[in-house]
Every structure is written in C-alpha cells, then in structure tokens.
Amino acid sequence: MPRRHLPLPRLWLMTDERIVDLTSAVARLPKGSGVVFRHHATDTPVRRALFDRIKTIARRRRLILLLADTPTRAQAWGADGAHNRSALKSVGLRTIAVHDLSELRLAPRAKADLVFVSPVFPTRSHPDARTLGPVRMGLMIGDQRRRVVALGGMTACKFRRLRGLDLHGWAAIDAFA
C-alpha cells in the first residue's frame, strides 16, 4: 500500500540482527517515525515472519515501514516502500543510502524521497569506515539537504550538533536497541 502522501518521518530505526528485542524497539518509536527493515543475514522465511510482526506494530503505531530489498519484494510483503539502489522501480516511498559524493550525485536519478547519508559519526556497523563528521557532511550534501537523513553513530544529542545543516532527520540502530 503506497503511503507517499504521508509526511516523511524525521526519525528512523534501521534494523539488523544486533537488536535483540526488535518488537519492543519498534513499539517504543514515536508515532510517525520510520523503520527500515533490513535483517539481511536472516533466512528468508524467518525474515518474512519477523517483518510481518513488525508490520503489525508499525500499522498500529502509524509508522512508515520500508523493506531493504528489491522493490518487487517490498511491494509483495506490503511495505510502504523500498530502501535500496533500485529505488527508481519502487512503488511507494523510495530511499537510498549514500556514503560519498559520487553516490549522492546518483540520488536525483533514483528519484529517492529520502537519502540516508552515512557514516556521519563512528559506528559499530562499520567500525573501520572513514566518518564524514559535520563539516565534511555539510560540504558533501551542499544544497541537497531537503531530504537528507543522517546515519551512522547517531543519537538525538548528535543530531542536535548537526542542527546548522538543516537536515530532514536522523536514523540509527544502537540508539533504539
């Protein structure tokens, strides 16, 4: 069910297998938040069952739920959209992750509703990755701030440090686990 008419969330939970109690983490999100369901390392039948449980909570709490997978699978599973490089073919919301300027330049062609820029700060997800930090992130995104979501080592406090960048929002894993 496409939900492109809804306001785009400013707060996002990115899921992965590190979140021990995912259902509780999702249930604690403020109404109107978003969830990018990843769980790439989980076998498909188990992943689908978990996605369906999260979808039930998301609908009840009025959360936007994206599937980090193919647009075809996102639509088949009843997600509100897809999070991946093939976002152009998505029905519903379209989001992509970018890690450098060359990837960011591709975002307009993907017609992404939101662009998750990462890693802004040191993160357990990518411990050896070079972080952007506020200055490099600001230089990288330039005037494309309209739909940029900060990702990577993010917390509410760190997002406040980025206030001058006028970003759309922020996303995290550990901050919600």
Side-chain angles (χ1 to χ4, degrees), residues 20-82:
V20 177
D21 189 357
L22 183 59
T23 55
S24 292
V26 172
R28 288 191 309 266
L29 289 171
K31 287 184 179 169
S33 297
V35 177
V36 176
F37 185 88
R38 298 181 318 162
H39 276 70
H40 298 295
T42 303
D43 291 334
T44 301
V46 175
R47 184 178 187 231
R48 175 64 193 263
L50 180 58
F51 178 85
D52 287 341
R53 285 198 310 272
I54 298 307
K55 185 169 64 171
T56 299
I57 297 167
R59 297 298 176 254
R60 188 175 63 239
R61 305 241 343 114
R62 294 186 215 133
L63 307 175
I64 298 295
L65 178 61
L66 303 181
L67 181 63
D69 209 311
T70 65
T72 302
R73 183 169 283 174
Q75 187 173 12
W77 287 15
D80 297 316

Side-chain angles (χ1 to χ4, degrees), residues 53-116:
R53 285 198 310 272
I54 298 307
K55 185 169 64 171
T56 299
I57 297 167
R59 297 298 176 254
R60 188 175 63 239
R61 305 241 343 114
R62 294 186 215 133
L63 307 175
I64 298 295
L65 178 61
L66 303 181
L67 181 63
D69 209 311
T70 65
T72 302
R73 183 169 283 174
Q75 187 173 12
W77 287 15
D80 297 316
H83 176 79
N84 73 5
R85 297 239 178 261
S86 303
L88 181 58
K89 299 173 186 162
S90 294
V91 173
L93 291 176
R94 302 171 181 146
T95 66
I96 62 171
V98 301
H99 305 90
D100 57 39
L101 188 56
S102 64
E103 290 179 349
L104 183 63
R105 287 184 178 138
L106 297 175
R109 281 184 250 155
K111 297 186 178 168
D113 295 298
L114 289 174
V115 177
F116 289 74

